[in-house]
Amino acid sequence: MSENYDVVVIGAGPAGYEAAIRCAQLGLKTACIEKDKGKDGNPTLGGTCLNWGCIPSKALLDASHKYVEAEAHFSEIGIEVDNLSVDVSKMIARKDAVVKGLTGGIAGLFKGNGVTALYGTGKLLANRQVAFVGHDGEEQTLQAEHVILAPGSVPVAIPPAPLDGDRIVDSTGALDFESVPARLGVIGAGVIGLELGSVWNRLGSEVVVLEALEEFLPMADERIAKDAQKMLTKQGLDIRLGTRVTGAEVIGNEVVVQYQDAQGDHALSVDKLIVAVGRRPFTEGLLTPDCGVNLDERGFLYVNDLCQTDAPNVYAVGDVVRGPMLAHKGMEEGVMVAERIGGFKPLVNYDTVPSVIYTHPEIAWVGKTEQQLKADGVTYNVGSFPFAASGRAMAANDTQGTVKVIADAESDRILGVHVLGAQASELIAQAVIAMEFDASAEDIGLIMFAHPTLSEAIHEAALSVSGHAIHTINRKKK
Ligand code: FAD
Ligand code: AMP
């Protein structure tokens, strides 16, 4: 059987499903192919983000944060709680219900917008034909005017720590522990390792994080990363930098992890081990040799700034192409491609992609770090404001962290904003908007912010660039 479409999208993660929905909104006859099955074995939409990534991890981060608040901080504000306990299976079941609700929501959005969902695998042939094999064995060749490839990414596996699906797991397995492991090892102090390490640490695990690099979060602002490391260590994450894992073996009821650091070889025994050493583009079974799409030297699908591959009218978006592996980056690429197919001319601004690490406090930033600007020889001014001086943060009993605004020394244009603090993930959106509109630090200083809010810390940090902050002592008085 063969069917014609204006657009066929392969992959229904955030990059693919947003592309498909926007195409359908623009009146294009659109199909989206998705191979994934959810935890319950039924076909599911939403990709890594909704099923095994952003959403389930945040459900567990939010739940475990509430537990820590109740356990460690409620009494500070006059609330006594007796007999506090964690019901892991209930917490996991709620997480699964959130996932189910959202993935079902995408199915509803597909239906409502007229996107044809095809459950099975898609393979790109020559001349924009797509071979589809359904989960039920049904085979179809689809002919498309345009094809959007959005197959996403999968966790990187490392030979020294082979997964066994029980004691040695990747990020997906770490979302489904049946009980709180007494001793947990995490390989990799990246975003995923820190978030999942935090979840189980908060619920009671003794967590050791083994990280090969000497520096903690090298992509973040140095000062912010140092402060964050101290705070996470104080919470109980034992972060061992400069340690390379060389082996991991399940022996009886435990995992024995071998690692090396500057002092030599070590062994660490844990009950569970999470391998969180990054993700790689997933292209298995996606391409035929004559489809015209090429890979780059790192295995990503090669695209230009407009997400065009080397094959005419074939695009690729999301984790499978260069750039940060973030859901919102993929979503913007998906929408850009859809709108270009629809005849519009949008662009993605890769300079304003926000990064967030959902630990507590959260770490979020957009734009350049001080170390990047120094390396580029750019002169800049810095303004900062500690949440310890924020009325709202004090009222909320959550005063850790700082906002830092970096502005060009000559033009005062904002070059980067870095937030360590409660709700940094929400606050950073203000910085993204400011940077998209080419705001100067002075512009932000001239805007009125509601009082008392955490957002005022952004206002004060922007004022502090020129020494005008009110609620902190300015070093540069003007
Ligand atoms: P994916 O979401 O991976 O979706 C691709 C889909 O394509 C998959 O469902 C796959 O089954 C399907 N597919 C692949 N090949 C085929 C084929 N041949 N035929 C049919 N279907 C196919 N990002 C954030 O921005 N914020 C976060 O808080 C965040 N937290 C994360 C937490 C964890 C634990 C993990 C693992 C990731 C997290 N991420 C987060 C990253 C985020 O999940 C990814 O950046 C995002 O899902 C990428 O979207 P995508 O659409 O490119 O790919
Ligand atoms: P990210 O790519 O942000 O998810 O981070 C993954 C982290 O895992 C990186 O900081 C790597 O340095 C780290 N890593 C990779 N391989 C190893 C290893 N064998 N031992 C310890 N850390 C590792």
Side-chain angles (χ1 to χ4, degrees):
M1 206 177 100
S2 165
E3 176 128 21
N4 293 342
Y5 287 93
D6 294 320
V7 183
V8 170
V9 183
I10 302 183
Y17 84 65
E18 288 224 358
I21 289 173
R22 191 70 191 109
C23 284
Q25 285 175 349
L26 290 166
L28 299 160
K29 185 181 173 193
T30 307
C32 185
I33 304 175
E34 174 54 58
K35 68 167 177 52
D36 223 357
K37 290 189 179 171
K39 221 177 124 177
D40 59 7
N42 292 317
T44 182
L45 302 172
T48 305
C49 174
L50 267 61
N51 290 282
W52 330 103
C54 324
I55 297 298
S57 61
K58 265 81 259 177
L60 295 182
L61 278 158
D62 285 335
S64 58
H65 178 63
K66 286 189 166 83
Y67 175 68
V68 169
E69 283 290 290
E71 187 199 33
H73 302 297
F74 272 13
S75 69
E76 295 164 5
I77 56 173
I79 303 173
E80 301 304 335
V81 188
D82 290 331
N83 301 323
L84 197 66
S85 66
V86 176
D87 182 338
V88 174
S89 57
K90 198 165 172 182
M91 206 179 270
I92 300 285
R94 187 199 77 99
K95 177 263 296 177
D96 292 341
V98 172
V99 168
K100 196 88 195 136
L102 285 167
T103 54
I106 304 298
L109 289 172
F110 272 12
K111 212 168 168 197
N113 283 289
V115 175
T116 303
L118 295 172
Y119 296 103
T121 54
K123 182 192 274 264
L124 182 68
L125 312 174
N127 303 318
R128 296 180 313 280
Q129 287 199 319
V130 175
F132 167 72
V133 182
H135 289 314
D136 55 4
E138 175 208 356
E139 293 190 17
Q140 272 192 58
T141 304
L142 314 176
Q143 178 66 58
E145 290 296 319
H146 304 268
V147 176
I148 304 176
L149 304 173
S153 62
V154 288
V156 167
I158 49 170
L163 306 186
D164 75 345
D166 174 27
R167 293 198 175 267
I168 309 181
V169 297
D170 60 14
S171 58
T172 303
L175 296 168
D176 277 325
F177 289 153
E178 281 163 9
S179 57
V180 180
R183 301 163 304 168
L184 174 66
V186 180
I187 312 180
V191 179
I192 293 173
L194 291 177
E195 290 186 0
L196 294 174
S198 289
V199 165
W200 296 106
N201 176 237
R202 291 168 187 176
L203 299 178
S205 295
E206 246 175 55
V207 179
V208 178
V209 184
L210 301 168
E211 167 56 56
L213 300 176
E214 297 287 346
E215 201 184 333
F216 183 66
L217 294 179
M219 66 288 199
D221 182 84
E222 212 173 293
R223 183 70 261 157
I224 295 274
K226 283 213 166 74
D227 290 350
Q229 187 183 349
K230 270 190 217 140
M231 290 171 195
L232 295 175
T233 302
K234 204 168 154 212
Q235 285 167 24
L237 289 185
D238 178 352
I239 302 167
R240 302 185 189 172
L241 300 176
T243 57
R244 175 160 289 279
V245 172
T246 53
E249 198 187 346
V250 177
I251 300 176
N253 284 335
E254 59 181 25
V255 185
V256 180
V257 185
Q258 309 288 340
Y259 69 90
Q260 292 172 338
D261 63 13
Q263 278 71 51
D265 293 327
H266 307 268
L268 170 76
S269 294
V270 291
D271 301 300
K272 298 267 186 189
L273 177 66
I274 305 175
V275 182
V277 295
R279 298 182 62 82
R280 63 173 174 86
F282 178 75
T283 55
E284 267 104 83
L286 180 71
L287 308 173
T288 45
D290 58 351
C291 71
V293 173
N294 293 307
L295 305 185
D296 69 15
E297 63 289 347
R298 293 162 60 219
F300 291 87
L301 296 184
Y302 174 76
V303 288
N304 63 14
D305 281 355
L306 302 179
C307 293
Q308 292 167 313
T309 68
D310 290 332
N313 291 349
V314 179
Y315 307 83
V317 292
D319 279 11
V320 80
V321 301
R322 82 282 172 271
M325 286 183 162
L326 293 169
H328 42 280
K329 173 264 193 186
M331 290 170 168
E332 288 305 303
E333 289 178 333
V335 170
M336 173 190 71
V337 166
E339 295 192 343
R340 285 198 162 255
I341 293 171
F344 300 93
K345 301 279 179 228
L347 294 169
V348 171
N349 183 358
Y350 291 97
D351 292 337
T352 53
V353 180
S355 297
V356 181
I357 307 175
Y358 293 82
T359 46
H360 192 86
E362 293 179 343
I363 309 162
W365 68 94
V366 59
K368 302 280 188 189
T369 60
E370 275 199 70
Q371 58 268 31
Q372 283 168 334
L373 292 170
K374 277 188 191 129
D376 294 347
V378 177
T379 52
Y380 58 86
N381 292 318
V382 178
S384 61
F385 190 80
F387 284 106
S390 150
R392 184 61 194 271
M394 273 189 248
N397 195 37
D398 205 343
T399 55
Q400 294 182 94
T402 323
V403 174
K404 184 166 166 181
V405 172
I406 309 177
D408 187 272
E410 245 174 72
S411 66
D412 194 39
R413 182 169 164 251
I414 298 174
L415 302 175
V417 176
H418 304 267
V419 184
L420 172 65
Q423 299 188 37
S425 56
E426 301 292 343
L427 296 175
I428 204 65
Q430 303 176 25
V432 175
I433 295 170
M435 287 180 67
E436 276 288 344
F437 284 86
D438 257 339
S440 64
E442 185 185 25
D443 289 332
I444 303 304
L446 290 169
I447 292 171
M448 194 187 300
F449 285 67
H451 175 76
T453 56
L454 297 178
S455 302
E456 287 173 297
I458 294 206
H459 189 217
E460 292 269 10
L463 285 167
S464 140
V465 169
S466 52
H468 294 172
I470 301 294
H471 293 91
T472 185
I473 307 299
N474 295 284
R475 269 175 283 134
K476 334 164 221 181
K477 288 204 182 83
K478 281 207 179 154

